[in-house]
Amino acid sequence: MSAVPVPETGGLPVAREAELARLAQVVEALGNGRGSVVEITGEPGIGKTRLATALVDLAARRRLPVARAHAVRGGATPLQVFRDAFEARRGFPRPTGGGGRAFAEFRGRPARWAAGGVLVLDDVHWCDPVSTAALVRLVRSVVSGPFVLALAHRPRQTPPELREALEDGVRAGTVTRIEPGPLDAEAAAALLTGPHASASTAPHTHEPAALREFAGQVCAAAEGNPRHLRLLVAAGWRPGRWPDRPGTDMDGLLREAKPLIAELDALTPPAATAMAAAAVLGSPFRPQDVAQVSGLGLDPTLDVLAELERADLVRPADWSGGLRFRHPVVGHVAYERAGSSVRLRAHHRALDLVTARGGRAAERARHAEHLLGTEGVDAARTLAEGAAEIAARTPATAARWFRLALETIPDREGDRDARTALELACCRALIASGQPEEARARAHELLGDPRAELTDSQTLQAHTVWADAERQLGRYKEATAVVAAALGLLPRPLPDPLPAEAVRLAIEYGLIHVVRGTHEQARTLLREAARAAGGADRADRTVLRVLSALCATHAGDIDEAGPEVTDCARLLDALPDPLAGRTPETLALLGCAELYLERFADAARHLGRGLETADSDAGRPILMHRLLALAMVEQWTGRLDASERRTRQVESLARAIGAEGAVTLARAMRATALVWSRGRSHAAEAVALVEDATTVTPPGQSWWATSATGLLAQARLLAGDAAGCRRTLLEGVGDERLPLVRPFSRPFLLALSATAALECGDRDKAHHLVQAAEVEVGRLGLPVQEAYVHEARARLHAADGEHDAAAKLFTLAARAFRAADMPVQYAWTLAVGAPSCAEAEGLTEALRQLDVAETVARSYGASLVRERVEELRAALSGSDPAAHALGLLSGREREIAELAAEGLRTRDIAERLFLSPRTVETHLFRVYRKLGVSSRLALSTLLRRTG
């Protein structure tokens, strides 16, 4: 053990509030004359030293005597260590005499040799036996005086007698154990961007959602260990390359790995050789393999592996007799520290070993990759075989192996077919691993190379991967053109059975139209391809059927789509996760279809399946669709906060890939969620979210914009701006027949438009729109859409004074929303139907209905519903606080309010007062906000009651 200067304070440790609070209590007790023993224990790199530093700083701020030392392998003699520790800081009493006398003074109780203070001893697991024995005596002594002994150690390497003494002290209450655990994603994000971060550890992103996503992924790879996390980020970690590689910057890895390199440098030469061999083999590994690859022989290898276990560099694996590194990054650092000649020999022996026992191609390819300069074509062929084996699981590694194989294998005329197959496989792996630019360039070059002499099958495959790359890059027009050119090569009608390459081309055709929102253009070909795809593999057949069903849903053909979606869900649920998605496409498409068919629980299950392991670098457009659909499911099923968070994630992802339409839609979703959750006081803020975005994507130009228009119109109506709702719909979808709206949501938007027209005083238009909605919903048979139409018809009955009919329809609508698991809409319908309920069934029943609505709204954080409940309860009870707000109206606002209450339309009011209709609407919106009402009917009732 040797004395060291106290490390400079870099701020408090991240996400260690509980541990710091306990240390503060220890220091506070010391200031009151009570000492203790503090044990700071945990995994290497978990943050023990930072907590020890925090304890030193806490004591120093209170001007308490403090000293610190740490143990070093082969350091100072045991009799000198403690005196050096005391001399590390002024203010701590120095023992008298030489080292032996100093050590002798430690044999007694602390009160006999220390007047008080804090002694922090770090890395005590490396203590020599004499020092360890002294520490055991100190730990087992009862600390009665003002003295704190803090010991930081790794439990796996600490001598058993010291561990036992500390454990006994914890049980007896004389030892305070502080054991920092793994960080979570939020703490990891703070660590990577806070004051502790350096240029080598901060991720290269400024988008909050992207940062949170990256922090969650790298934190999981680091197992929550701060040191491992810093190492991975310094190495340029990427999820698609882990754990095969730590990243792309090996120099950065080694710069950050100085503490770990010090552990490796302390090994004996044979142990270092075995460590390098194990790093070449990869974790987990078998001792006998290490013996063969290292050349040490079995018995010496077993001896040095025992040394590595004692150093806690390797640990027992899950299977009997096997070993693994304590974390994969330890193996990567050991690999990089080994010399190139050592690695080359080890890879050669490892390849011979794996080949001799008939190992898998991927296992052989791991070593062949490093032998291309010596093994030539044989190594390249091994790489190609290994890449094909792992392409579905780890496409980034497969793409690298395919690329290396193509660079090494000679381009001879007799090998053109095999080379073309490798090139196409490489393109697919590049796309799957988030490298579409290179895939696009390779496919384009392949199609333009006259020497390639592509077969018809290879030509279709090359067009498919080219179009796939264009779609991944967001170039939908280019992707459509590429697919159209390829489809022109197929006979029509399509042959039955359809070749596998034609099936994949049809799938790509459908995916392009889905992301563009032009589902109807793909429906005919998809139906034909699905009927002729009997010879394709199961995953391709399933995704083709799901695509066809989704297009049928968009067309409003629920009779065809419903049974097909049910059957596809059954097939998909029977598949394991790696096969379930044919990449994530099938899950995204099926979940969207289920969402539109109002099967919210099924949609959430499929959209969320495997989402936590989704690679954000690959398949971003499909990932974006999954997240968008999931955000809508969460909003409709009452998880408003989750929906809002999800839309922020979508917006960040959409911006990264240039999908402005998705940005607009995500903002519109968030606006609606904010109005529901925060009420009218935040309505203007919520609506403003999408005001700017809608200028980027002109209304009516795409499915994205049309969907965003509907959500924005709903947000305006909920906020009390009925005129703004009508204007948004008219400007966004052309006219009140809603020609650009998908059939599965048209009844809802017609009902929304009808409600807005009614609240603007246009009853005739409201009746017309409700009738149109009833015709549309009759064709669909979707219960939620029918519930929206029932609610709109109920409002019309209430406005006409037909409260018995209105109350029945409000009840039907509320029950349908509850059955569909839409609690917020259920509570809202109960609330708006309460006045009719009071007229038809009495005040007691109406107040009970409001109580239910308030309870549900409170459970789901729907402030808007609670506001409406309070208004209606006050009105029904005869004490309306909103009436007192009349004095807050300006003269012009009161004038417009009175004319509106008389039944004049906006245009009539504008002509009478010589104002523009937009100005009248603005004044009315302010009136509604001030009086706490949401419609002209409510305004008229309020003005009549107050005179």
Side-chain angles (χ1 to χ4, degrees):
M1 208 180 254
S2 64
V4 292
V6 177
E8 293 185 5
T9 303
L12 295 177
V14 174
R16 300 301 188 203
E17 290 78 9
E19 292 86 351
L20 291 171
R22 297 186 70 188
L23 291 176
Q25 291 171 0
V26 168
V27 174
E28 182 71 23
L30 180 61
N32 296 328
R34 297 192 305 274
S36 63
V37 175
V38 177
E39 178 194 15
I40 304 175
T41 181
E43 288 282 300
I46 201 66
K48 301 182 296 298
T49 298
R50 287 181 178 269
L51 288 173
T53 302
L55 175 58
V56 170
D57 290 341
L58 287 169
R61 290 192 199 109
R62 295 179 63 94
R63 300 185 180 278
L64 296 169
V66 60
R68 177 175 184 171
H70 75 159
V72 179
R73 285 182 178 178
T77 60
L79 301 184
Q80 185 70 23
V81 53
F82 294 108
R83 191 184 69 183
D84 289 342
F86 275 99
E87 291 176 349
R89 281 255 179 148
R90 296 177 113 184
F92 210 98
R94 297 185 180 186
T96 60
R101 184 178 178 87
F103 176 74
E105 293 183 13
F106 272 70
R107 296 174 183 242
R109 295 160 65 90
R112 293 174 52 187
W113 53 266
V118 177
L119 175 59
V120 178
L121 302 178
D122 203 352
D123 292 335
V124 298
H125 47 277
W126 283 333
C127 275
D128 57 89
V130 177
S131 298
T132 298
L135 291 177
V136 169
R137 286 193 294 275
L138 287 172
V139 170
R140 292 195 180 279
S141 300
V142 178
V143 180
S144 57
F147 174 67
V148 168
L149 173 65
L151 306 178
H153 71 108
R154 302 176 182 178
R156 287 176 178 266
Q157 296 170 262
T158 301
E161 59 270 26
L162 181 54
R163 287 204 314 267
E164 183 180 350
L166 289 167
E167 190 65 40
D168 291 344
V170 170
R171 286 195 292 267
T174 59
V175 173
T176 299
R177 174 172 288 168
I178 296 176
E179 191 171 5
L183 300 178
D184 59 16
E186 184 178 352
L191 182 66
L192 295 176
T193 58
H196 300 286
S198 64
S200 63
T201 59
H204 302 292
T205 179
H206 300 287
E207 288 285 346
L211 172 61
R212 286 194 297 271
E213 182 182 6
F214 175 84
Q217 291 176 323
V218 72
C219 185
E223 298 175 4
N225 187 296
R227 181 182 296 168
H228 298 162
L229 189 145
R230 289 188 177 92
L231 286 171
L232 293 178
V233 176
W237 182 85
R238 292 294 180 270
R241 294 175 169 85
W242 180 256
D244 180 56
R245 288 192 171 188
T248 56
D249 186 358
M250 295 303 100
D251 290 338
L253 172 69
L254 294 178
R255 282 194 301 269
E256 193 72 25
K258 291 178 182 177
L260 180 53
I261 290 172
E263 293 185 58
L264 296 173
D265 289 346
L267 297 173
T268 61
T273 300
M275 190 73 178
V280 166
L281 286 167
S283 186
F285 52 86
R286 298 187 298 184
Q288 56 268 41
D289 293 346
V290 175
Q292 185 166 337
V293 171
S294 67
L296 293 173
L298 184 58
D299 287 341
T301 296
L302 294 176
D303 292 337
V304 296
L305 288 178
E307 178 185 341
L308 295 178
E309 281 198 78
R310 286 193 300 273
D312 197 26
L313 290 168
V314 302
R315 296 174 179 175
D318 294 335
W319 41 277
S320 178
L323 294 170
R324 63 177 178 85
F325 298 113
R326 72 174 182 235
H327 186 271
V329 77
V330 174
H332 289 299
V333 173
Y335 183 88
E336 295 301 324
R337 286 284 292 171
S340 58
S341 60
V342 172
R343 293 200 299 260
L344 189 61
R345 289 194 200 95
H347 278 299
H348 204 294
R349 291 170 180 164
L351 180 57
D352 290 343
L353 173 68
V354 174
T355 303
R357 68 168 176 236
R360 294 169 53 212
E363 194 178 358
R364 288 183 279 116
R366 279 192 64 253
H367 305 293
E369 176 180 4
H370 303 275
L371 301 173
L372 286 175
T374 60
E375 298 290 332
V377 176
D378 289 340
R381 287 171 179 160
T382 301
L383 280 176
E385 294 171 7
E389 189 176 273
I390 65 169
R393 299 190 306 277
T394 51
T397 301
R400 185 175 77 247
W401 287 353
F402 277 130
R403 193 190 296 116
L404 289 172
L406 286 164
E407 291 170 359
T408 306
I409 295 176
D411 187 5
R412 294 192 291 257
E413 185 172 346
D415 298 330
R416 290 280 164 75
D417 278 353
R419 187 175 183 84
T420 298
L422 277 183
E423 191 69 67
L424 291 169
C426 183
C427 289
R428 297 187 192 100
L430 287 166
I431 292 171
S433 60
Q435 303 173 76
E437 283 280 9
E438 184 180 345
R440 175 188 178 278
R442 284 179 172 272
H444 192 270
E445 183 179 349
L446 182 63
L447 284 166
D449 185 359
R451 298 176 306 158
E453 299 178 355
L454 302 182
T455 65
D456 291 344
S457 172
Q458 291 171 339
T459 300
L460 289 180
Q461 292 179 61
H463 278 88
T464 301
V465 296
W466 182 8
D468 194 357
E470 298 284 13
R471 174 171 60 85
Q472 300 287 351
L473 291 166
R475 300 171 182 170
Y476 302 138
K477 290 183 179 178
E478 292 85 346
T480 303
V482 172
V483 170
L487 288 173
L489 303 175
L490 293 175
R492 301 303 299 271
L494 295 176
D496 189 359
L498 198 60
E501 59 272 14
V503 170
R504 295 192 180 98
L505 179 66
I507 291 171
E508 186 57 40
Y509 176 76
L511 290 172
I512 292 169
H513 283 293
V514 165
V515 296
R516 293 189 71 180
T518 52
H519 303 70
E520 64 283 348
Q521 297 181 27
R523 190 182 179 195
T524 301
L525 185 136
L526 288 173
R527 293 171 74 179
E528 185 180 357
R531 286 195 296 266
D537 67 63
R538 182 170 57 169
D540 282 347
R541 289 200 310 272
T542 301
V543 73
L544 194 57
R545 291 179 61 185
V546 172
L547 272 167
S548 182
L550 180 62
C551 291
T553 305
H554 272 262
D557 194 346
I558 307 302
D559 289 340
E560 175 184 330
E564 186 71 352
V565 167
T566 299
D567 198 29
C568 288
R570 179 182 57 78
L571 292 173
L572 196 62
D573 289 341
L575 294 175
D577 276 343
L579 301 176
R582 189 198 167 266
T583 61
E585 282 99 339
T586 311
L587 290 168
L589 299 168
L590 181 63
C592 287
E594 289 168 330
L595 170 64
Y596 305 144
L597 292 173
E598 301 175 359
R599 303 174 185 181
F600 302 134
D602 291 337
R605 178 164 54 85
H606 290 125
L607 292 168
R609 182 174 173 181
L611 197 61
E612 66 281 356
T613 59
D615 183 359
S616 61
D617 287 340
R620 284 187 162 193
I622 290 296
L623 175 62
M624 182 182 69
H625 274 72
R626 290 179 72 179
L627 296 176
L628 269 172
L630 199 54
M632 183 55 73
V633 171
E634 289 166 342
Q635 186 173 139
W636 284 354
T637 55
R639 290 170 286 171
L640 301 176
D641 290 343
S643 179
E644 184 187 348
R645 289 194 301 271
R646 190 84 65 185
T647 56
R648 293 181 187 277
Q649 185 181 2
V650 171
E651 187 174 345
S652 175
L653 179 58
R655 286 192 185 283
I657 63 177
E660 292 297 337
V663 172
T664 304
L665 182 53
R667 283 191 171 188
M669 286 185 185
R670 187 156 86 253
T672 312
L674 284 172
V675 174
W676 279 121
S677 63
R678 300 186 187 179
R680 288 185 187 146
S681 61
H682 291 78
E685 169 195 348
V687 172
L689 280 171
V690 284
E691 291 279 328
D692 295 336
T694 51
T695 63
V696 177
T697 306
Q701 296 302 306
S702 70
W703 171 76
W704 302 97
T706 302
S707 301
T709 294
L711 287 166
L712 178 57
Q714 183 188 23
R716 287 191 181 279
L717 184 62
L718 292 173
D721 184 9
C725 171
R726 296 186 75 186
R727 185 174 64 251
T728 298
L729 286 172
L730 288 173
E731 292 175 355
V733 294
D735 60 48
E736 289 173 331
R737 293 174 298 175
L738 310 180
L740 300 178
V741 176
R742 302 294 180 188
F744 61 77
S745 63
R746 193 173 293 150
F748 160 65
L749 289 179
L750 285 169
L752 188 73
S753 183
T755 302
L758 180 63
E759 294 189 2
C760 289
D762 194 345
R763 295 193 183 186
D764 290 341
K765 178 59 69 176
H767 275 287
H768 171 73
L769 289 169
V770 170
Q771 288 174 352
E774 288 168 340
V775 171
E776 292 284 345
V777 83
R779 298 170 182 164
L780 293 174
L782 294 175
V784 171
Q785 293 293 310
E786 189 176 19
Y788 281 120
V789 177
H790 282 332
E791 184 181 320
R793 173 62 74 183
R795 289 173 182 266
L796 279 174
H797 283 313
D800 293 336
E802 300 168 355
H803 291 291
D804 286 344
K808 291 177 182 177
L809 286 175
F810 276 126
T811 299
L812 278 176
R815 288 174 179 170
F817 289 130
R818 183 176 60 184
D821 190 24
M822 297 177 67
V824 175
Q825 190 64 49
Y826 164 65
W828 179 257
T829 304
L830 287 179
V832 298
S836 291
C837 179
E839 295 288 341
E841 302 180 39
L843 180 60
T844 301
E845 178 59 25
L847 292 176
R848 186 201 65 79
Q849 193 164 293
L850 288 176
D851 289 342
V852 173
E854 183 178 31
T855 300
V856 174
R858 191 182 302 277
S859 298
Y860 289 91
S863 296
L864 181 68
V865 179
R866 293 174 62 190
E867 290 174 3
R868 188 61 179 271
V869 167
E870 290 171 6
E871 295 168 7
L872 291 169
R873 185 182 284 124
L876 292 174
S877 301
S879 57
D880 190 352
H884 299 293
L886 285 172
L888 301 176
L889 300 183
S890 67
R892 176 65 80 185
E893 288 170 349
R894 190 177 185 97
E895 187 177 21
I896 290 174
E898 290 172 349
L899 293 173
E902 292 175 8
L904 270 69
R905 300 181 183 182
T906 298
R907 184 169 298 176
D908 297 334
I909 297 173
E911 291 175 354
R912 181 174 297 191
L913 299 180
F914 301 100
L915 300 172
S916 70
R918 175 79 51 102
T919 300
V920 172
E921 291 174 0
T922 301
H923 280 300
L924 275 174
F925 182 56
R926 291 173 181 164
V927 168
Y928 291 163
R929 292 277 301 276
K930 290 181 179 181
L931 299 184
V933 297
S934 60
S935 66
R936 295 191 184 211
L937 180 62
L939 175 64
S940 178
T941 302
L942 173 61
L943 293 182
R944 283 200 307 273
R945 186 168 64 250
T946 59

